[in-house]
Amino acid sequence: MSFSKLKFGSTIGIIGGGQLGKMMAQSAQKMGYKVIVLDPDNACPCQYVAHEFIHANYDDQEALNQLGELSDVITYEFENISSKQLQSLVSQYNIPQGYEAIQTLQDRLIEKQSLQKAQTQIANFIQLTEPKDLSIAIEQIGYPFIVKTRFGGYDGKGQILVKDQSYLDEAEVLISKQECVAEQFLDLHKEVSLTVTIGKDNQITYFPLQENEHQNQILFKTIVPARTDKEQEARSEVKKIIEHIHFVGTFTVEFFIDTQNNLYVNEIAPRPHNSGHYSIEACDYSQFDTHILAITGQKLPERIQLLKPSIMMNLLGRDLDILEDQFSNHPEWHVHIYGKNVRKPDRKMGHLTVLTDDINETEQLLLNKFEGRHN
């Protein structure tokens, strides 16, 4: 794909004003672009760093058209916009990312089928259209398996781990509300992710492979470089994916590594991702920098340089309760507070990144600081 390069002073419209939108806007502004953000929350973090704010719901067609008229290019920070509405916007305005990736990835069944067509390695799955289909999952996949809703859900929402027969009633309730997908539960050794940016003329830039740990389905920490030999295999899987799904800008592919050291594609986020936040300090370009370069038609760096091994820790509301008075005592911590006005125990309120010469030692020091967190 080839598209025109935007001049300094051009305007970038962002659909979504959360922390990802905020960090996109900060990268855009340092490159000389103006930013307009659309979000239904009149206290969203991005509006305070944008030149203009449109307070509207994501399905407000008039407001979306207003964003289009005021912007030289439009991007998005998350997947909750209607793919049909995005498709209509693509026909009228400059949206290099298109609508196809959103259309595919909003539906977990279509996502799995697309990954299957791309011949990537994924866990076994089946479609669940009604509760009685659970018997097929038990027969074809076997316990344990995960039931996930086809649409919606993030950070563990909209899914149930079915360990044995005692969990079937809960799974049946979920399926009765919405079609689902049953997916084999893997015996995991490690979770990793690969952040990638695709620019004009199909330029591809890879960030280092990231090692992730989740707690209660929410990302807890990311270590870079990942302590595994799977980076080249992960890149090979990504190459298969981009031949079947249209991407422009930054996106992230999440992987599982099982106890037999097999790599499986898990999910795809078609925008910058939590596990790539370390790149703001630890790399010569952040995932937000390369995203802005891509959507504005600039040339991407051929490779991303990791300046130093790093650890990124998410800061939830309960982490701020524990650690807030310690931030000033640790100048080695690069602390980002997103500016959300309501603090909740499991809400992402910020993150911190530490660059280090000794990953294992720094990891243990940070874990000691977070030991008051209740899992």
Side-chain angles (χ1 to χ4, degrees):
M1 169 174 283
S2 180
F3 39 89
S4 59
K5 182 169 68 174
L6 295 189
K7 297 179 180 179
F8 298 137
S10 298
T11 299
I12 298 173
I14 303 175
I15 301 173
Q19 63 264 25
L20 297 179
K22 179 181 180 179
M23 289 182 271
M24 280 185 197
Q26 290 169 327
S27 283
Q29 289 181 355
K30 78 177 182 182
M31 297 181 199
Y33 296 109
K34 296 177 181 177
V35 173
I36 300 176
V37 62
L38 182 151
D39 195 277
D41 180 2
N42 61 8
C44 66
C46 187
Q47 73 144 315
Y48 300 109
V49 298
H51 293 84
E52 190 169 341
F53 175 57
I54 299 174
H55 183 208
N57 291 329
Y58 299 124
D59 61 357
D60 186 330
Q61 191 63 52
E62 183 178 345
L64 290 168
N65 287 337
Q66 181 187 2
L67 181 71
E69 293 296 332
L70 294 172
S71 304
D72 295 295
V73 66
I74 293 177
T75 185
Y76 46 80
E77 68 142 14
F78 71 130
E79 306 90 301
N80 286 354
I81 183 173
S82 160
S83 60
K84 290 183 179 179
Q85 283 189 304
L86 187 60
Q87 184 175 1
S88 70
L89 291 174
V90 166
S91 66
Q92 302 176 68
Y93 306 111
N94 179 21
I95 309 179
Q97 291 164 275
Y99 67 91
E100 296 92 343
I102 289 287
Q103 187 177 62
T104 298
L105 302 178
Q106 280 182 340
D107 184 333
R108 282 195 173 92
L109 177 62
I110 301 300
E111 178 183 21
K112 295 295 182 187
Q113 292 171 339
S114 298
L115 290 171
Q116 197 173 50
K117 289 177 183 176
Q119 298 185 331
T120 63
Q121 180 154 290
I122 59 174
N124 294 330
F125 72 95
I126 65 165
Q127 180 179 359
L128 302 174
T129 57
E130 51 188 347
K132 69 178 184 180
D133 291 336
L134 282 167
S135 61
I136 304 173
I138 296 167
E139 179 183 343
Q140 295 188 7
I141 298 176
Y143 296 116
F145 60 89
I146 304 175
V147 174
K148 299 180 180 180
T149 56
R150 281 185 63 174
F151 302 96
Y154 61 94
D155 289 344
K157 298 177 178 68
Q159 59 181 263
I160 296 169
L161 173 59
V162 181
K163 298 178 181 179
D164 53 42
Q165 188 175 357
S166 66
Y167 292 83
L168 291 178
D169 288 345
E170 187 179 1
E172 287 177 359
V173 171
L174 187 64
I175 301 166
S176 66
K177 295 177 180 177
Q178 185 186 142
E179 285 192 23
C180 295
V181 174
E183 181 183 310
Q184 177 189 3
F185 182 76
L186 300 171
D187 189 6
L188 292 187
H189 167 59
K190 202 179 289 287
E191 297 178 62
V192 296
S193 60
L194 189 63
T195 295
V196 183
T197 305
I198 297 182
K200 68 173 186 177
D201 302 321
N202 295 314
Q203 300 170 85
I204 304 177
T205 295
Y206 296 96
F207 285 81
L209 189 66
Q210 300 140 192
E211 175 183 335
N212 305 317
E213 179 186 330
H214 290 78
Q215 289 187 0
N216 298 324
Q217 314 300 324
I218 301 173
L219 183 64
F220 175 52
K221 72 175 185 288
T222 295
I223 293 175
V224 185
R227 294 168 292 191
T228 178
D229 60 357
K230 292 294 184 179
E231 181 153 5
Q232 291 306 313
E233 186 176 346
R235 288 191 182 192
S236 296
E237 293 293 272
V238 168
K239 286 179 180 178
K240 296 176 187 176
I241 291 168
I242 61 180
E243 290 177 0
H244 285 77
I245 303 176
H246 169 86
F247 289 105
V248 170
T250 296
F251 65 99
T252 294
V253 180
E254 298 178 76
F255 298 89
F256 292 143
I257 302 174
D258 71 6
T259 52
Q260 304 302 310
N261 204 34
N262 297 307
L263 185 76
Y264 295 86
V265 176
N266 177 31
E267 293 181 342
I268 306 170
R271 36 74 184 168
H273 189 258
N274 196 169
S275 64
H277 290 349
Y278 73 94
S279 61
I280 297 172
E281 284 86 22
C283 297
D284 53 349
Y285 291 82
S286 78
Q287 63 168 342
F288 303 100
D289 294 337
T290 54
H291 182 74
I292 297 301
L293 290 173
I295 65 168
T296 58
Q298 312 289 330
K299 185 175 181 180
L300 297 179
E302 292 184 4
R303 62 183 297 270
I304 298 298
Q305 181 180 356
L306 181 65
L307 304 177
K308 212 171 192 180
S310 65
I311 301 178
M312 188 280 296
M313 307 285 289
N314 257 339
L315 296 172
L316 306 181
R318 51 198 162 116
D319 298 316
L320 294 190
D321 293 339
I322 298 166
L323 298 172
E324 189 170 359
D325 62 348
Q326 299 187 41
F327 291 155
S328 61
N329 297 326
H330 292 277
E332 75 278 12
W333 291 0
H334 296 274
V335 179
H336 295 250
I337 302 300
Y338 300 146
K340 298 177 180 178
N341 63 347
V342 178
R343 183 185 298 188
K344 299 177 182 179
D346 290 321
R347 191 180 192 192
K348 295 174 184 175
M349 303 300 294
H351 71 269
L352 66 82
T353 301
V354 182
L355 281 61
T356 178
D357 291 317
D358 190 329
I359 280 288
N360 294 328
E361 179 183 12
T362 301
E363 180 185 22
Q364 190 56 55
L365 289 171
L366 285 170
L367 291 176
N368 291 340
K369 292 291 184 181
F370 280 76
E371 65 183 356
R373 173 195 266 234
H374 299 292
N375 293 342

